[in-house]
Amino acid sequence: MKLEKVILEGFRGYHERTEISVSALTALIGENDVGKSSVLEALDAFFNDVVDAQDVNTRTAGGKFTVGCIFWDLPDQINLDAQSQTTLQDEYLLNDSGKLEIYKVWRTTAIKAEVERIYARANAPAHEVGKDLLFKKRDELKEIVEAHDLQANKRKNPDMRQAIYRHLEAAGELKLQPREVELDRPKDKGDDFQDARKIWKKLNDRHLPVYSIFKADQVRGDKETAVRSPLDATLKAAIKELEEQLSAITEQVQKQVKETTDRTLERLKRDYPEIAQSLVPDYKPPSWSKAFDLDVLRGDDDVPLNKRGTGVRRLVVLAFFQAEAEKKRQERAEGVIQPPIIYAIEEPETSQHPNFQRSIIEAFNSLAEAGDQVLLTTHVPGLAELLPIDSIRFIDRPPGASTPRVRSGTEDRDVLLEAATSLGVLPSAIPSENAQVAVWVEGDSDVWVLETIASKLDQAGAVPEPLETSRIFFVFGGGGDQLKSIVNGEYLDALGLPQFYLRDSDKEAPDHPGKAIPAEVAERVRKWDEDGEGLPIAVVMTRKREIENYLDLAAIDRVCGTPVDIETRLPGLDLDFGKISERDTDFWQELSRAKTELGFHFPAEVRRGVTLKHNRPKHVICGLLLKETTLDELRERCASTDPEDAERSEVEDWFHGIAQLVRASQG
């Protein structure tokens, strides 16, 4: 189950109803004190009941506030009754769009906030008999079934409810209409220990995502909520996965305790009736999440985490996110389905060196790609510029407005530019006055490879005119799908530079679709190609997985100074579409083993002012191995034929495409 939208009304600064769309990775950006953290804490109130009396907006009449959530990717089956499965659709809990839409309403006094009601906005029966079936117990359902002589398994509540619904439908009396379906009811005095009709609790405990919030101002030690919260999230997810077994344990304990209590009360009624009349059984189910202590974050030097620097403590949590993403990717590959988690991180860049900010975004992207959801807040330009465009929700407060405004820039470039201006996101670099063309790449290592290829083409006299490779301006823009891409693009447009995008396709096989071209870039290309509108622009996706895959294995032996023979070590290696540029890949692991066995060392090298690190696959592959790959080897690695059977070289086609843009810009 995934969160699609959160709705706030009367919560803190959000006086009026405000809807905020949520994606796999959602970044709330804006200036200080504009309402970013309020969104994360509203979700904490919704999932975990973390609220207080000060959360109500001061202009809200009646002292009430509401937090709503809309969910999609719903489970095929749910469990609302002991050991009996049903579906959200069969119980009429879905809205007109087939999604689960739930609201929690709190009422506040001067000192506390209490849940007043919880309901689903659903297309549900309005008939008097059918509208409250979820709250009826087995005997009540059985009475209705027998009164209408219906066929149903009277030991299973879902079967009886379905029989009643079908009976009303056949009689034309179901009366489906959009309405508010209660999911919780106050417990009346004298109710049994476990009110079986607390639908909200069962949905939240068993089926809704686990929500874990990590706040910027609470990183003091391993017992603090912010450091524990990722571990707590793991604990909650584990408990949710074992809910059925734990429920059985709870029911068995409750049964035995109830039998003892009933015998005791019966005896009291016989011997001390005046006392028995004033006693009511009140049982509380156990809180399994409080049954485990997670004091696991002490160093091997026995220095507690709270005695280490704030940045180190934050890196511990970042390492958790990275480890979780790796674990989720592996589980997904193995077909394992885990309970979904929503991680909410406030200002993840706090106390972090700028060099770690890219790692932070990469870790969160990996978690999102692995199936969880990540929400974060930031007002720091260095982090904001790295964010994917479709993740950005820009929050501001127009003059005179009573409620913050939340806007997405996915379909409105002006919103992204406004967000960038508000945070002070500046162009990455300024091109020299004689620059011919801007070439967009995804990172430093791509530039190293392209400069290597350009140098080899220069030496071979194969650079297409009128391109001069020394006049290429490389732009680090994430391939056009990050906020800094918009800022850089606007700046380059103002300079009148033609622009060439080279993007890794991320294809996992020849027929794999790979990743898409960002919509904003694709539209600019369409306008230029079809209408000649705007500046010359082109986008090329690598035919192989990524630029590292253009390596020729013979270069390894030359760089290492000894026959490494990776092909024999890794039979079946897919050098075109296999992942080779990360530490946990078979290619890198085998190359590392060969390095230890054969005793060779990678040579020291500096590329564009960056000292290559031999423990980073991209540095070694792009900075050393591809540099040693000859032009003929590159041509062989990316040879193809065009529709007229002429031989083509993909890497040379890149430079022909760049040259074509230069010609177009020169008229």
Side-chain angles (χ1 to χ4, degrees):
M1 191 179 296
K2 301 290 180 62
L3 179 64
E4 180 182 84
K5 187 176 291 185
V6 56
I7 302 105
L8 310 181
E9 186 172 5
F11 184 83
R12 299 191 184 172
Y14 293 87
H15 173 55
E16 300 171 358
R17 179 184 171 99
T18 303
E19 298 185 0
I20 304 164
S21 61
V22 177
S23 50
L25 174 64
T26 305
L28 306 171
I29 68 174
E31 297 178 353
N32 278 326
D33 201 32
V34 76
K36 304 184 299 294
S37 296
S38 293
V39 178
L40 304 190
E41 291 170 10
L43 287 168
D44 205 20
F46 181 88
F47 287 101
N48 303 321
D49 285 319
V50 180
V51 294
D52 62 46
Q54 306 305 311
D55 286 331
V56 67
N57 185 279
T58 55
R59 295 188 297 275
T60 300
K64 297 181 181 180
F65 62 86
T66 301
V67 180
C69 289
I70 300 178
F71 300 93
W72 67 285
D73 194 19
L74 306 174
D76 294 332
Q77 292 188 317
I78 60 172
N79 185 348
L80 300 180
D81 303 89
Q83 311 304 316
S84 295
Q85 300 291 319
T86 184
T87 70
L88 291 164
Q89 184 174 4
D90 285 347
E91 301 297 351
Y92 295 101
L93 290 174
L94 303 181
N95 63 18
D96 285 337
S97 301
K99 296 170 183 175
L100 180 62
E101 183 175 352
I102 300 177
Y103 295 86
K104 292 180 76 172
V105 182
W106 286 264
R107 60 175 179 267
T108 62
T109 65
I111 60 173
K112 65 179 180 179
E114 294 181 324
V115 175
E116 181 177 77
R117 62 186 297 230
I118 306 174
Y119 65 91
R121 186 71 183 169
N123 195 34
H127 188 275
E128 192 63 30
V129 173
K131 70 179 183 179
D132 285 327
L133 290 186
L134 277 172
F135 282 98
K136 295 189 182 299
K137 299 180 182 179
R138 183 170 300 173
D139 289 343
E140 296 172 301
L141 292 171
K142 189 183 301 183
E143 184 178 341
I144 298 173
V145 167
E146 291 175 348
H148 293 85
D149 195 24
L150 305 179
Q151 296 297 315
N153 185 338
K154 297 177 185 177
R155 291 176 295 180
K156 293 186 176 181
N157 290 3
D159 283 9
M160 289 191 284
R161 287 196 296 269
Q162 289 309 302
I164 296 169
Y165 287 140
R166 299 291 78 79
H167 169 72
L168 293 173
E169 185 177 31
E173 297 179 346
L174 196 58
K175 299 180 181 178
L176 290 180
Q177 64 183 44
R179 68 179 186 88
E180 296 174 358
V181 178
E182 301 294 333
L183 297 181
D184 207 350
R185 284 182 173 173
K187 183 175 178 181
D188 296 327
K189 187 175 182 180
D191 275 357
D192 287 340
F193 153 49
Q194 184 178 7
D195 182 0
R197 300 298 91 212
K198 286 187 177 290
I199 309 302
W200 159 252
K201 177 173 173 54
K202 294 176 181 178
L203 282 173
N204 194 27
D205 287 353
R206 300 173 183 176
H207 304 292
L208 297 189
V210 172
Y211 183 79
S212 180
I213 186 170
F214 175 54
K215 297 184 180 181
D217 57 355
Q218 293 184 351
V219 190
R220 293 186 291 276
D222 60 347
K223 285 294 189 180
E224 293 300 324
T225 302
V227 176
R228 285 172 53 93
S229 59
L231 298 175
D232 285 339
T234 302
L235 174 60
K236 290 177 183 177
I239 289 172
K240 190 174 294 241
E241 190 176 2
L242 297 171
E243 176 64 31
E244 189 171 327
Q245 295 96 310
L246 294 176
S247 293
I249 294 172
T250 299
E251 289 175 10
Q252 183 63 27
V253 172
Q254 290 170 0
K255 179 181 178 182
Q256 294 185 26
V257 172
K258 188 175 187 301
E259 290 174 355
T260 300
T261 304
D262 288 346
R263 289 195 300 269
T264 302
L265 281 175
E266 186 60 33
R267 185 70 189 189
L268 282 170
K269 288 177 183 178
R270 292 205 311 265
D271 297 343
Y272 311 101
E274 67 283 357
I275 296 177
Q277 289 178 357
S278 64
L279 295 178
V280 176
D282 186 15
Y283 305 90
K284 294 181 180 179
S287 175
W288 292 106
S289 62
K290 296 179 180 178
F292 303 92
D293 186 9
L294 299 178
D295 185 9
V296 297
L297 298 175
R298 294 181 70 88
D300 55 12
D301 55 3
D302 208 34
V303 176
L305 189 62
N306 66 332
K307 299 300 182 184
R308 299 179 184 271
T310 303
V312 171
R313 297 197 294 271
R314 282 239 159 196
L315 284 177
V316 168
V317 180
L318 173 60
F320 165 83
F321 291 133
Q322 293 169 318
E324 277 298 288
E326 183 178 342
K327 172 174 171 283
K328 291 291 176 67
R329 284 197 301 270
Q330 181 177 350
E331 288 174 342
R332 186 174 62 174
E334 296 171 354
V336 177
I337 299 176
Q338 296 284 6
I341 299 177
I342 301 174
Y343 296 103
I345 305 98
E346 184 182 48
E347 299 177 9
E349 71 281 355
T350 299
S351 302
Q352 287 303 306
H353 189 279
N355 290 347
F356 286 116
Q357 291 176 359
R358 181 178 297 275
S359 297
I360 291 170
I361 296 301
E362 289 175 352
F364 294 156
N365 267 322
S366 295
L367 269 176
E369 291 170 0
D372 288 326
Q373 291 180 278
V374 178
L375 288 89
L376 61 92
T377 69
T378 187
H379 60 268
V380 174
L383 188 72
E385 70 177 19
L386 300 173
L387 293 168
I389 290 171
D390 58 5
S391 74
I392 292 174
R393 308 294 182 268
F394 178 48
I395 304 179
D396 66 347
R397 188 189 294 271
S402 63
T403 297
R405 178 175 56 177
V406 184
R407 293 175 289 165
S408 170
T410 305
E411 299 177 356
D412 191 344
R413 180 185 176 92
D414 290 340
V415 171
L416 296 171
L417 291 172
E418 188 177 341
T421 301
S422 172
L423 297 185
V425 177
L426 301 175
S428 299
I430 299 175
S432 63
E433 291 183 2
N434 72 337
Q436 281 185 317
V437 62
V439 175
W440 293 74
V441 293
E442 298 185 21
D444 287 340
S445 55
D446 296 338
V447 178
W448 302 341
V449 174
L450 290 176
E451 286 185 333
T452 291
I453 297 172
S455 175
K456 296 179 187 300
L457 291 174
D458 268 333
Q459 293 172 13
V463 176
E465 295 183 350
L467 177 64
E468 299 175 42
T469 56
S470 63
R471 297 174 65 187
I472 295 174
F473 173 60
F474 290 103
V475 187
F476 305 109
D481 50 7
Q482 294 177 335
L483 181 59
K484 69 177 179 181
S485 306
I486 299 296
V487 176
N488 285 330
E490 190 78 2
Y491 178 62
L492 295 173
D493 286 348
L495 294 178
L497 275 181
Q499 297 166 48
F500 182 88
Y501 287 78
L502 178 63
R503 288 172 57 87
D504 291 336
S505 68
D506 291 348
K507 294 175 65 172
E508 298 175 8
D511 57 351
H512 187 271
K515 64 186 178 186
I517 298 172
E520 191 268 341
V521 175
E523 178 61 15
R524 292 174 63 199
V525 172
R526 186 198 66 77
K527 288 180 178 179
W528 168 253
D529 287 344
E530 297 180 6
D531 307 324
E533 181 181 335
L535 292 170
I537 184 172
V539 180
V540 170
M541 308 292 284
T542 60
R543 293 178 188 167
K544 302 184 190 301
R545 182 174 190 138
E546 52 190 359
I547 206 163
E548 289 82 358
N549 292 86
Y550 290 82
L551 165 70
D552 189 283
L553 295 179
I556 299 176
D557 297 347
R558 292 196 292 273
V559 170
C560 299
T562 185
V564 177
D565 198 10
I566 286 291
E567 284 184 293
T568 301
R569 288 172 172 270
L570 281 177
L573 171 66
D574 185 354
L575 193 57
D576 290 340
F577 301 102
K579 188 71 172 174
I580 66 172
S581 61
E582 292 182 0
R583 289 191 179 103
D584 60 353
T585 60
D586 291 342
F587 174 83
W588 183 254
Q589 294 292 328
E590 194 57 45
L591 186 59
S592 298
R593 277 192 287 270
K595 184 170 178 283
T596 301
E597 292 172 11
L598 301 176
F600 63 80
H601 298 280
F602 295 126
E605 185 80 48
V606 177
R607 300 301 302 270
R608 291 176 65 96
V610 176
T611 300
L612 299 186
K613 296 185 177 180
H614 296 162
N615 62 345
R616 293 189 179 181
K618 283 182 178 290
H619 280 218
V620 171
I621 296 171
C622 296
L624 296 175
L625 302 183
L626 273 162
K627 182 182 179 183
E628 189 63 29
T629 301
T630 67
L631 182 58
D632 286 340
E633 288 170 340
L634 280 169
R635 286 169 169 164
E636 185 176 348
R637 287 284 296 123
C638 58
S640 64
T641 55
D642 64 17
E644 298 178 357
D645 291 330
E647 291 188 0
R648 307 289 301 180
S649 167
E650 182 188 353
V651 294
E652 290 182 270
D653 283 346
W654 297 343
F655 285 86
H656 280 283
I658 296 170
Q660 185 176 351
L661 294 181
V662 174
R663 282 195 296 274
S665 68
Q666 294 176 348

